[in-house]
Amino acid sequence: MAKNDVFQLNGLTDLQKKLSFVTKSYPDESEKLLTKMGNQFRKEVKKKTPERP
């Protein structure tokens, strides 16, 4: 990225609130589900990230 490029993420506060609700409401199931979701997210990000030479 050039110095003038801007990287912006929107909606992280809402996501954080929803994840907090899930972990408090379903403590036993949430760890397994969040791990699964995180792994899927990582795979999708890897697909969309250009490889370095």
Side-chain angles (χ1 to χ4, degrees):
M1 274 205 249
K3 289 183 181 182
N4 295 336
D5 289 345
V6 176
F7 186 78
Q8 184 175 358
L9 294 174
N10 298 319
L12 290 179
T13 302
D14 291 336
L15 177 61
Q16 183 180 12
K17 288 178 184 177
K18 289 176 184 178
L19 290 174
S20 181
F21 172 78
V22 169
T23 57
K24 289 177 184 174
S25 299
Y26 308 99
D28 295 335
E29 296 88 3
S30 65
E31 183 177 355
K32 186 186 290 185
L33 179 61
L34 291 173
T35 300
K36 184 177 178 180
M37 289 171 60
N39 289 336
Q40 183 63 34
F41 178 71
R42 182 178 25 190
K43 288 178 187 176
E44 290 177 24
V45 169
K46 279 186 173 183
K47 287 180 192 175
K48 295 178 181 182
T49 304
E51 292 188 27
R52 295 182 184 174

